Amino acid sequence: MFTHTIVRTPCSKVCDGITSAPELGKPVYGKALEQHAAYIEALKACGVDVKVLPADEAFPDSCFVEDVAVVTRKCAVITNPGAPSRNHETDSIRGVLLEYYDDAVIEKIQAPGTLEGGDVMMCGDTFYVGRSARTNAEGIRQFGEILGKYGFTVIEVPLAEVLHLKTGVNYLENGTMLVAGEFTDKPEFAAYKKIEIPVEEAYAANCIWMNGTVIVPEGYPTVLARIREAGYPVITVDTSEFRKIDGGLSCLSLRF
Ligand code: CIR
């Protein structure tokens, strides 16, 4: 169960966030703020406390707070984002994490290692880490060494098609993964039940499990129906503005 979440209000530069899909247009700031507010309400409806960090105008992508830290029940790991424009987003996160963790269990990925939280998927005590354009072998090595001290297992998953691991696969607890594209038959996930996503709804692979409920992006009817059929209560949140800059539901929070 999760008790805490941390989010960061989108800054006005969110329109200049990194994107692989410029054809979708730029986020509309007012709409992004409205969608972010609805996201916070959805988290609260799942019974968690939501800490809202102020907008950080220095970093267009800073609302994607998931990427700057990995939070576990025993420790927190400040990452070292591989995207140069995002690298210093981590500078302000230690002070926030100190409200929840002892200094001694706040760890850090060091250069030349890179790692972004969007590449880390927690499945119980096992953490799958995508080796991506943002997360390198040295980052995964350091992450494995750190989490090993706390009794966790780290397994690397090579990525070919997507930005982050959780762009295409998310864990819905109960031994079940929501999978799109290349993750449908990854050998690393052979032991899990799968809810498969049709290619035209691939964006909706990025759902989050929140204390039994699944938060699903609005506008993906097949995914919504399949998650309901699997027995989960659902809440939908419109993320259209974040999608324009490759962001989704998981990217917008730290959950622990
Ligand atoms: C980026 O390219 O870094 C942002 N525009 C999107 C980050 C999405 N974060 C995530 O998947 N955890």
Side-chain angles (χ1 to χ4, degrees), residues 2-248:
F2 295 122
T3 48
H4 299 293
T5 59
I6 299 172
V7 303
R8 187 181 288 286
T9 304
C11 69
S12 66
K13 305 269 179 10
V14 70
C15 317
D16 300 323
I18 306 168
T19 184
S20 64
E23 70 280 5
L24 296 178
K26 287 186 179 246
V28 175
Y29 185 45
K31 219 170 150 188
L33 288 176
E34 277 169 28
Q35 292 179 352
H36 197 258
Y39 178 74
I40 290 171
E41 289 314 306
L43 292 176
K44 286 182 179 164
C46 298
V48 291
D49 168 64
V50 184
K51 180 172 184 70
V52 184
L53 304 177
D56 186 343
E57 293 292 333
F59 301 105
D61 284 301
S62 52
C63 58
F64 301 120
V65 70
E66 171 178 71
D67 292 318
V68 301
V70 177
V71 284
T72 81
R73 66 173 204 281
K74 295 182 183 169
C75 64
V77 182
I78 300 172
T79 66
N80 189 35
S85 70
R86 302 199 59 191
N87 189 258
H88 284 281
E89 279 181 31
T90 53
D91 293 355
S92 59
I93 201 70
R94 179 177 287 272
V96 179
L97 294 173
L98 279 169
E99 293 176 30
Y100 305 92
Y101 293 92
D102 275 353
D103 191 46
V105 299
I106 301 180
E107 311 269 0
K108 174 87 178 86
I109 301 296
Q110 307 287 352
T114 64
L115 186 130
E116 295 190 358
D119 276 318
V120 179
M121 178 171 68
M122 180 179 73
C123 301
D125 285 353
T126 300
F127 289 72
Y128 293 94
V129 186
R131 183 157 167 187
S132 69
R134 303 287 182 84
T135 295
N136 66 16
E138 171 59 13
I140 298 174
R141 190 198 64 74
Q142 290 180 27
F143 188 69
E145 198 170 282
I146 292 167
L147 286 209
K149 291 191 299 182
Y150 297 90
F152 296 126
T153 302
V154 169
I155 297 175
E156 176 177 327
V157 183
L159 309 187
E161 295 165 6
V162 292
L163 171 64
H164 285 129
L165 178 67
K166 284 185 290 189
T167 310
V169 54
N170 281 271
Y171 190 52
L172 303 185
E173 303 296 324
N174 315 309
T176 303
M177 286 179 178
L178 188 62
V179 292
E182 63 181 302
F183 300 102
T184 308
D185 47 20
K186 282 266 186 219
E188 291 85 350
F189 303 144
Y192 294 89
K193 280 183 278 173
K194 314 269 181 1
I195 300 176
E196 289 183 25
I197 297 209
V199 65
E200 66 280 9
E201 293 191 16
Y203 171 78
N206 191 254
C207 289
I208 48 177
W209 178 95
M210 286 300 299
N211 297 340
T213 296
V214 178
I215 307 182
V216 181
E218 199 169 295
Y220 301 89
T222 309
V223 175
L224 186 65
R226 287 187 186 164
I227 294 173
R228 278 198 171 124
E229 275 159 27
Y232 297 92
V234 299
I235 299 178
T236 59
V237 175
D238 192 356
T239 54
S240 64
E241 302 317 292
F242 301 105
R243 182 185 179 182
K244 292 173 181 172
I245 50 170
D246 300 337

